[in-house]
Amino acid sequence: MELLTPDFGTFFWMLVSFIIVLAILAKFGFPALVNMVNERKQYIDDSLKSAREANEKLSHIKEESESILVEARKEQARILKEAMETRTQIVNEAKDKAKAEGGRLLEEARKQIQKEKEDAIRDIRKQVAELSVEVAEKVLRKQLSSEMEQNGMIERMLDEVSDSKK
Amino acid sequence: MKTLRCFGLFLFVCMIGLLPAHANDHESAGEKSTVDVQEIVFGHIRDAYEWHLFTYGDAHVSIPLPVIVYSANTGWHVFSSSHLSHGEEYEGFYIASEGNYAGKVVEKDAQGNEARPFDISITKTALSLMINSLLLVIIMVGVARWYKNRKPSSEAPKGFVGFMEMFVMMIHDDVIVSCVGKDYKRFAPYLLTAFFFIFINNLMGLVPIFPGGGNVTGNIAITLFLALMTFLAVNIFGTKEYWKEIFWPDVPTWLKVPVPFMPVIEMFGIFTKPFALTVRLFANIMAGHAIILSLVSIIFITASLGAVLGTSMTVISVLFSIFMSCLEILVAFIQAYVFTMLSAVFIGLARVHHEEHA
């Protein structure tokens, strides 16, 4: 049957047309498209990769900055604590010093007072002694106005001396 | 729903316009104009030396095409096919009306027998082939031009170029890369060209008016050529393993010696593969054209049987034709896809390597 027998003329024109179409499309048609799609795919993959890397880097930086912040906070706390300690120390020292100074001044004052007191006592004693000697003199003079009394006195005193020598 | 109702109304109006006219035709023309469905269908499916556009009344409007023949006796002849219409003879050539060469340009040889000259006329099929090829080249090169002066970092195309990109990459990735295997790059241009070549010819065959409507992929010479291309690609680029599997396949030895059962079957297989490709595409497209034309012919057959039958059958016929046309669009794609995929699979099978086989 005619339909089932390939016609040479048709075959010939098919050969010509198809080879030309194939040549043109293989050169100018498909490779441009397919290559572009593959390159775009590559580009998207690369972009995704670099985006992921950038993200990672960013999170890394964030982490780092956070750790720096934490460190800074720690440092701040430490410095504050130290300052507080120093302050307490200084205050204490000052207190101690003041105390010591006060004590010393007090001691000195006491000593001074003691000395003054002793001096005063000594003075008083001296005056008392002088006064008593004067009083005794006056008393003795009054008592030893008679000879007898004078001898009696001497006797008694001699006794006393000898008693004390024994 | 509204569009459907509009469409129904449209069909109805068309039928009212159509039917009385035909009835009148029938009465005036008497009994002679019975519809010759076979002539309509085969006249379309068969190749022709002129491109019949339409018939207005009794006038056939056709585009005459060049007849290019080489006769062993008289040499080259190039003339318009209009000289041969209505069985006229021109420069010793005429179109045979019966016999082995019915419908072909023939000449009388010395003994007075009909002989077929060497005929490379640009027939209807050849012309539609060329138009479709040109269209394909324009579309594809036009699409490819978009990629010129663009970097991979520029935006992906939109609209038609984007659609074509998706289409091409679908065939490229899903069919060619996955079926051919690792050295697909060498075969991708042929397979892509084959796909889009078949697809555009299938689609253009469904367009009923002039630049379309040619029965290109439903012509066995066309599909034979495409299958031959695949056959050549398979057997020229076949690896050593491929030939080993044909002549010394992995089967029990008694199947190979002394009587080479398997090698014979395998050898047979080499030729059945392109044969199947040829017939599958040719038969599918030809049958599609035949069915659509037959369904359309129903209108004209039943119109002569009375108004009621004619009207109802026209509705059915139009609905069926629409359905078939939609189906044929699907078939146009599927057949192109199947041809490309099988070609890719055959090429992939011929590219077997030992390590994959082990």
Side-chain angles (χ1 to χ4, degrees), chain B residues 56-82:
Chain B
Y56 185 77
D58 276 343
H60 294 279
V61 179
S62 319
I63 300 173
L65 300 171
V67 174
I68 305 167
V69 286
Y70 176 79
S71 162
N73 306 325
T74 54
W76 286 100
H77 296 267
V78 178
F79 52 90
S80 164
S81 70
S82 58

Side-chain angles (χ1 to χ4, degrees), chain B residues 113-184:
Chain B
N113 297 320
E114 275 183 355
R116 186 99 166 82
F118 180 75
D119 181 2
I120 50 168
S121 306
I122 298 181
T123 57
K124 187 184 172 191
T125 304
L127 183 63
S128 12
L129 178 70
M130 289 168 192
I131 292 171
N132 298 346
S133 303
L134 191 68
L135 196 64
L136 177 63
V137 166
I138 288 170
I139 291 174
M140 276 304 171
V141 173
V143 166
R145 261 167 60 98
W146 187 90
Y147 293 91
K148 235 177 164 185
N149 306 324
R150 273 190 169 79
K151 291 194 184 72
S153 53
S154 48
E155 279 179 12
K158 293 186 179 66
F160 183 71
V161 179
F163 170 74
M164 287 310 289
E165 178 183 305
M166 189 202 74
F167 205 176
V168 170
M169 290 318 288
M170 182 193 84
I171 301 301
H172 184 265
D173 290 348
D174 295 351
V175 179
I176 296 169
V177 175
S178 60
C179 291
V180 175
K182 64 174 186 289
D183 46 11
Y184 66 87

Side-chain angles (χ1 to χ4, degrees), chain B residues 32 48 204 300 315 339:
Chain B
K32 75 171 173 117
M204 288 298 282
F300 302 104
V315 174
F339 187 95

Side-chain angles (χ1 to χ4, degrees), chain A residues 2-4 6-11 13-15 18 21-22 25 28-30 33-34 36-37 39-40 43, chain B residues 42 45-47 116 118-121 129-130 133 140 144 147 150 152-153 157 165 193 197 220 225 282:
Chain A
E2 186 213 337
L3 278 176
L4 294 174
D7 181 60
F8 179 78
T10 316
F11 190 86
W13 289 115
M14 175 64 184
L15 178 96
F18 191 82
V21 170
L22 178 61
L25 293 190
F28 304 110
F30 298 118
L33 195 151
V34 172
M36 177 64 96
V37 170
E39 276 166 28
R40 192 189 302 137
Y43 175 78
Chain B
F42 283 96
I45 288 172
R46 242 188 355 232
D47 210 352
R116 186 99 166 82
F118 180 75
D119 181 2
I120 50 168
S121 306
L129 178 70
M130 289 168 192
S133 303
M140 276 304 171
Y147 293 91
R150 273 190 169 79
S153 53
E165 178 183 305
T193 308
F197 193 88
I220 200 162
F225 176 80
F282 151 72

Side-chain angles (χ1 to χ4, degrees), chain A residues 113-143:
Chain A
I113 291 167
Q114 191 71 25
K115 208 177 148 203
E116 299 280 310
K117 204 170 104 188
E118 277 169 11
D119 281 356
I121 290 174
R122 208 178 300 132
D123 258 20
I124 293 169
R125 261 202 195 148
K126 214 162 137 190
Q127 283 181 11
V128 168
E130 280 170 11
L131 280 173
S132 28
V133 169
E134 274 170 36
V135 169
E137 217 179 77
K138 280 180 181 153
V139 170
L140 275 176
R141 214 166 278 157
K142 214 172 162 185
Q143 282 183 345

Side-chain angles (χ1 to χ4, degrees), chain A residues 152-166:
Chain A
M153 181 69 187
I154 289 164
E155 284 294 315
R156 206 171 50 235
M157 281 183 90
L158 283 175
D159 284 351
E160 270 173 26
V161 169
S162 60
D163 275 359
S164 67
K165 270 190 180 167
K166 271 185 226 172

Side-chain angles (χ1 to χ4, degrees), chain B residues 153-264:
Chain B
S153 53
S154 48
E155 279 179 12
K158 293 186 179 66
F160 183 71
V161 179
F163 170 74
M164 287 310 289
E165 178 183 305
M166 189 202 74
F167 205 176
V168 170
M169 290 318 288
M170 182 193 84
I171 301 301
H172 184 265
D173 290 348
D174 295 351
V175 179
I176 296 169
V177 175
S178 60
C179 291
V180 175
K182 64 174 186 289
D183 46 11
Y184 66 87
K185 278 218 168 84
R186 190 189 285 172
F187 304 99
Y190 162 64
L191 291 169
L192 280 171
T193 308
F195 176 84
F196 285 99
F197 193 88
I198 296 170
F199 188 55
I200 199 163
N201 277 306
N202 286 352
L203 277 189
M204 288 298 282
L206 294 175
V207 176
I209 50 172
F210 163 61
N215 180 28
V216 180
T217 36
N219 186 305
I220 200 162
I222 305 292
T223 59
L224 178 71
F225 176 80
L226 288 166
L228 270 179
M229 290 287 284
T230 298
F231 174 79
L232 291 178
V234 166
N235 291 291
I236 290 175
F237 296 106
T239 56
K240 232 186 275 172
E241 302 304 317
Y242 167 72
W243 291 108
K244 186 206 151 251
E245 275 178 27
I246 287 169
F247 291 113
W248 199 253
D250 258 345
V251 288
T253 316
W254 60 271
L255 282 170
K256 297 183 276 194
V257 212
V259 186
F261 282 120
M262 286 308 290
V264 165

